[in-house]
Amino acid sequence: MTEKDLNTYIQQIPKAELHLHIEGTLEPELIFKLAERNKVKLKYKSINDLSKAYNFSNLQSFLDIYYEGTSVLITEEDFYDLTWAYLEKRYSENVIHSEIFFDPQTHTDRGISFKTVINGISKALHDGQKKLSLSSKLIMCFLRHLDEESAFKTLDQSIPFKDKIIGIGLDSSELGNPPSKFVNVFKKATSLGYLPVAHAGEEGPPAYIWEAIDKLKVLRIDHGVRAIEDKRLLEELIKRKIPLTVCPLSNIKLKVFKTMNEHNLKKLMDVGVMVTVNSDDPSYFGGYINENYLEVSKAFNLEKKDIYKLAKNSFEASFLSSSEKQKMIELLDNFCNKIVTVVD
Ligand code: ADE
Ligand code: ZN
């Protein structure tokens, strides 16, 4: 496949994204625009200055800048504009379904109400469905560097908006904050009907992935690339059909792997783990979902059938109903059949 063919195929193939932090789509241009609108003083003098700081040594060095960026988000309109910008981008990349993380505590701890955050995001998602036919779901993440009590408070705040939120997640600084710290709040949230996922095995050891599946009973693992170090864990992920939402460019930017050639995505696929490709925090990591597909395709010489498999996994691993999954996979199959016919 020529590079042009590969680009076109990735661009046009219908796909879902299951690991995307809405705050991680905040582009430097929008940070400066919102800072001006809200009279927020930034540490950086220019867009260029800020972009230059996106040189990370690990997860924590990224999180420090990422949390600072969110300080410009104040009003419902800001959260709407942030989300709408992502939806327009997604539309151009043919991401027909997306399960979007948001971090309520990052905002409520700055005095912004839960209602402001969720209403701004949800209104944009509603318009995205109406105007662009984009399907979306929202997952509320608890910040794992904070205590479980704060997560419980956030869970309580979410209850009036429960119809807008499909699941709960766990993110932020992984090392030293194992999933077991949040067993009680996950138990309560799942009893209320929230579907559980958690970041695990990004920087943390396989033991954290075990905790996420056995103690938090998660339905997907976000990242999970360190599962490769534990053969029994790999077998368990395969047996229980627990998908991994892998974020290749994020892993390179945060130095989980030195180069894309050293990434283990293809190995995980080859042993039979259900792997999906995602962008995590695209405005910070140098690419949205299509760049992630493109970089792994180039690094591992992926063929169309591999890319198809990744796209199909993205729907199968989603929280869509089985009839919605079926419809989207049909769209995917129609696209692939058309491509084959044209080539023939
Ligand atoms: N929050 C935003 N991006 C994250 C990541 N890659 N890992 C943990 N927490 C995050
Ligand atoms: Zn993430």
Side-chain angles (χ1 to χ4, degrees):
M1 204 174 358
T2 65
E3 181 147 352
K4 189 161 167 271
D5 280 348
L6 178 65
N7 260 307
T8 309
Y9 189 75
I10 288 172
Q11 158 63 35
Q12 293 182 352
I13 195 168
K15 59 192 93 66
E17 175 150 52
L18 308 178
H19 186 157
L20 173 109
H21 302 262
I22 197 66
E23 294 91 346
T25 68
L26 188 51
E27 291 286 346
E29 289 75 12
L30 189 55
I31 293 184
F32 274 82
K33 186 177 149 193
L34 296 182
E36 201 177 309
R37 181 153 99 191
N38 294 323
K39 310 272 178 287
V40 174
K41 196 154 169 34
L42 292 171
K43 234 169 66 183
Y44 302 92
K45 283 194 200 66
S46 64
I47 291 175
N48 207 10
D49 239 22
L50 175 63
S51 308
K52 269 195 219 144
Y54 293 1
N55 209 336
F56 312 113
S57 47
N58 55 20
L59 174 59
Q60 192 58 51
S61 65
F62 153 70
L63 290 171
D64 293 342
I65 291 193
Y66 162 83
Y67 292 131
E68 198 178 308
T70 62
S71 67
V72 300
L73 296 163
I74 310 282
T75 65
E76 190 179 301
E77 188 189 5
D78 300 337
F79 286 94
Y80 182 99
D81 290 350
L82 167 70
T83 309
W84 187 255
Y86 166 62
L87 291 173
E88 285 192 318
K89 179 71 192 172
R90 221 188 104 178
Y91 183 73
S92 76
E93 299 212 305
N94 219 10
V95 179
I96 61 175
H97 175 68
S98 190
E99 302 190 354
I100 302 171
F101 293 131
F102 72 114
D103 288 341
Q105 288 149 298
T106 301
H107 314 297
T108 51
D109 283 3
R110 301 180 289 117
I112 314 295
S113 74
F114 193 100
K115 182 171 174 225
T116 299
V117 179
I118 188 99
N119 281 351
I121 298 173
S122 307
K123 282 181 187 166
L125 297 183
H126 178 262
D127 287 353
Q129 176 74 67
K130 224 171 53 187
K131 296 180 185 166
L132 305 173
S133 301
L134 293 176
S135 154
S136 306
K137 295 193 185 293
L138 263 183
I139 299 175
M140 161 178 87
C141 282
F142 301 124
L143 297 181
R144 67 202 307 159
H145 66 273
L146 301 178
D147 56 23
E148 194 181 37
E149 198 186 314
S150 171
F152 265 113
K153 206 171 128 198
T154 306
L155 179 61
D156 284 344
Q157 288 168 341
S158 76
I159 288 172
F161 308 99
K162 212 179 142 278
D163 60 319
K164 297 179 165 54
I165 304 169
I166 185 98
I168 49 155
L170 187 64
D171 66 358
S172 192
S173 323
E174 187 180 9
L175 291 170
N177 296 299
S180 51
K181 189 176 156 184
F182 296 91
V183 167
N184 299 309
V185 74
F186 266 66
K187 205 173 266 174
K188 168 103 187 275
T190 50
S191 77
L192 292 168
Y194 290 105
L195 303 177
V197 299
H199 284 53
E202 178 184 16
E203 286 188 339
Y208 284 20
I209 304 177
W210 279 114
E211 283 190 10
I213 62 175
D214 284 341
K215 298 191 173 171
L216 304 187
K217 316 265 183 235
V218 299
L219 303 174
R220 294 196 297 250
I221 291 283
D222 297 311
H223 293 293
V225 289
R226 287 196 59 191
I228 204 106
E229 297 166 32
D230 182 337
K231 195 163 174 284
R232 205 167 62 80
L233 175 57
L234 282 180
E235 284 164 8
E236 205 62 21
L237 293 173
I238 296 163
K239 193 172 93 193
R240 294 196 216 173
K241 297 192 170 61
I242 297 177
L244 303 185
T245 64
V246 176
C247 306
L249 281 173
S250 162
N251 293 151
I252 304 306
K253 276 282 186 183
L254 303 187
K255 312 277 195 280
V256 175
F257 300 93
K258 277 204 204 85
T259 65
M260 199 57 89
N261 290 315
E262 290 165 74
H263 199 288
N264 62 17
L265 174 129
K266 185 70 167 53
K267 280 191 202 121
L268 289 166
M269 281 176 84
D270 289 346
V271 297
V273 179
M274 184 183 271
V275 174
T276 65
V277 167
N278 307 273
S279 70
D280 207 4
D281 302 283
S283 103
Y284 294 90
F285 299 149
Y288 283 75
I289 198 164
N290 286 355
E291 281 95 2
N292 276 275
Y293 270 82
L294 190 60
E295 289 308 313
V296 294
S297 299
K298 286 199 286 196
F300 302 113
N301 271 321
L302 296 189
E303 297 175 30
K304 281 185 181 164
K305 69 171 174 31
D306 304 311
I307 299 167
Y308 166 80
K309 174 83 180 140
L310 287 168
K312 190 169 182 189
N313 285 353
S314 74
F315 296 116
E316 284 183 339
S318 74
F319 291 147
L320 290 163
S321 69
S322 46
S323 67
E324 288 168 325
K325 280 184 193 180
Q326 211 182 330
K327 262 192 234 151
M328 292 195 193
I329 293 172
E330 238 168 68
L331 276 177
L332 169 68
D333 285 347
N334 285 343
F335 164 79
C336 292
N337 292 336
K338 206 166 71 198
I339 291 271
V340 171
T341 314
V342 170
V343 171
D344 287 350

